[in-house]
Amino acid sequence: MCGRYAASRGPEDLAGIFEIEQREPEEALAPDYNVAPTKEVYAVLDRPVKDADSPRPVRQLRRLKWGLVPSWAKTPEGGARMINARAETVHEKPSYRRAFTSRRCIIPADGYYEWVTGSAERDLEVEGRRKRPRKQPYFVAPADGSVFAMAGLYEFWRDRTLPDEHPLAWWVTCSVITTEAETTPLSAAPAEGPHALADIHPRMPLMLTPDRWDSWLDPVGTDPDALRDLLAPPPAGLLRAYPVSTAVSNVRNNGPELLKELDGPEEGTLF
């Protein structure tokens, strides 16, 4: 799954990477090393600009709220639970299928965090000596340091309790698409710990390689079967995973130190 990630690149860097044509300077976000659901995040999308002379789609860098609220929802409360959409069923689920055919985006990240329960901790849990085992967080990122382009969906939701001119009358929310985690060996797998992403968690965000960016973002492409071809997992061996401090488990902690690679799992969380 994807429940937490890091996003340190600024709008200038993202504009160059994704060939952004339009962004709003006042919408700049500070680097966030502990992005959690309901936070505002950057998303790349192709969409016509309102009141523009041309109806052509324009590549934009937008701020969206993480946690998709379907356009037909009566309230936005369920958004916090809809942070992930499964690649296998996104085309048929009522909450996602309309966005899948017409409102796709890329959510740029440095990488994502995932937690694994260490074997020693699991033993204590089984013996009843610990009800809530400590989990070791790992950071998963492209091995070459490039951007982790997560496939996403976005949606518009109108708050009918507010007048049209109110700045919060419209919500724009998003969800990250996930797929089965890789079972092939990780790039530079650690000597101690998981050797494949599936050893950490059975799901992972779907990473789009650059050759798929344009097709994924193109709002003209609406054929579900053709779009599902874009949901194929990326080639194996592009990602690495390494243990990081359990400080990231507290969403209030934030800073580049959360990405520091540890020599091995922290004591008490041995894999």
Side-chain angles (χ1 to χ4, degrees):
M1 62 175 296
C2 179
R4 207 80 66 79
Y5 69 92
S8 66
R9 288 178 172 84
E12 292 80 10
D13 287 344
L14 296 175
I17 293 170
F18 293 103
E19 300 180 344
I20 300 296
E21 297 177 77
Q22 178 172 304
R23 58 186 175 90
E24 300 298 332
E26 66 272 14
E27 292 191 353
L29 291 170
D32 195 336
Y33 298 89
N34 204 351
V35 182
T38 74
K39 280 190 173 183
E40 286 198 318
V41 301
Y42 279 134
V44 178
L45 54 91
D46 284 4
R47 186 176 180 84
V49 176
K50 187 177 180 181
D51 299 326
D53 294 334
S54 172
R56 75 172 182 87
V58 173
R59 184 153 302 175
Q60 306 172 44
L61 183 65
R62 299 282 296 271
R63 283 171 55 165
L64 311 184
K65 190 181 183 74
W66 187 17
L68 189 139
V69 180
S71 60
W72 43 260
K74 294 182 178 180
T75 66
E77 275 72 25
R81 298 190 301 272
M82 299 180 66
I83 60 172
N84 293 160
R86 296 174 67 93
E88 298 86 348
T89 58
V90 67
H91 64 289
E92 60 187 13
K93 293 293 184 180
S95 297
Y96 302 118
R97 62 191 180 198
R98 289 176 60 185
F100 178 61
T101 57
S102 57
R103 287 179 289 278
R104 298 175 301 278
C105 64
I106 290 175
I107 301 172
D110 302 329
Y112 71 98
Y113 300 101
E114 195 55 83
W115 283 256
V116 62
T117 303
S119 57
E121 294 292 299
R122 284 196 297 267
D123 291 343
L124 290 174
E125 184 182 21
V126 171
E127 295 171 7
R129 294 164 57 190
R130 176 163 289 171
K131 293 183 179 179
R132 189 175 183 181
R134 291 185 65 197
K135 293 187 176 184
Q136 173 62 52
Y138 282 80
F139 188 65
V140 183
D144 62 1
S146 61
V147 67
F148 195 122
M150 300 188 293
L153 306 174
Y154 70 98
E155 190 60 274
F156 294 93
W157 181 78
R158 175 69 167 87
D159 186 346
R160 298 297 177 186
T161 66
L162 299 174
D164 291 341
E165 65 276 8
H166 196 284
L168 299 180
W170 284 96
W171 291 36
V172 191
T173 59
C174 62
S175 184
V176 174
I177 295 179
T178 65
T179 187
E180 289 187 355
E182 295 178 3
T183 57
T184 51
L186 286 161
S187 175
E192 181 182 11
H195 294 280
L197 291 179
D199 293 337
I200 303 175
H201 194 279
R203 306 289 299 178
M204 62 176 281
L206 177 64
M207 185 176 78
L208 295 172
T209 49
D211 58 300
R212 299 184 186 181
W213 292 355
D214 288 345
S215 297
W216 177 254
L217 294 174
D218 186 2
V220 176
T222 59
D223 177 51
D225 291 333
L227 292 170
R228 289 180 68 188
D229 290 340
L230 300 174
L231 297 177
L238 298 181
L239 301 172
R240 66 183 295 253
Y242 59 85
V244 294
S245 170
T246 53
V248 74
S249 301
N250 187 334
V251 72
R252 291 189 294 272
N253 294 328
N254 208 316
E257 67 277 3
L258 297 179
L259 300 184
K260 182 181 179 181
E261 182 173 357
L262 303 182
D263 293 334
E266 291 187 344
E267 183 177 357
T269 60
L270 293 177
F271 183 81

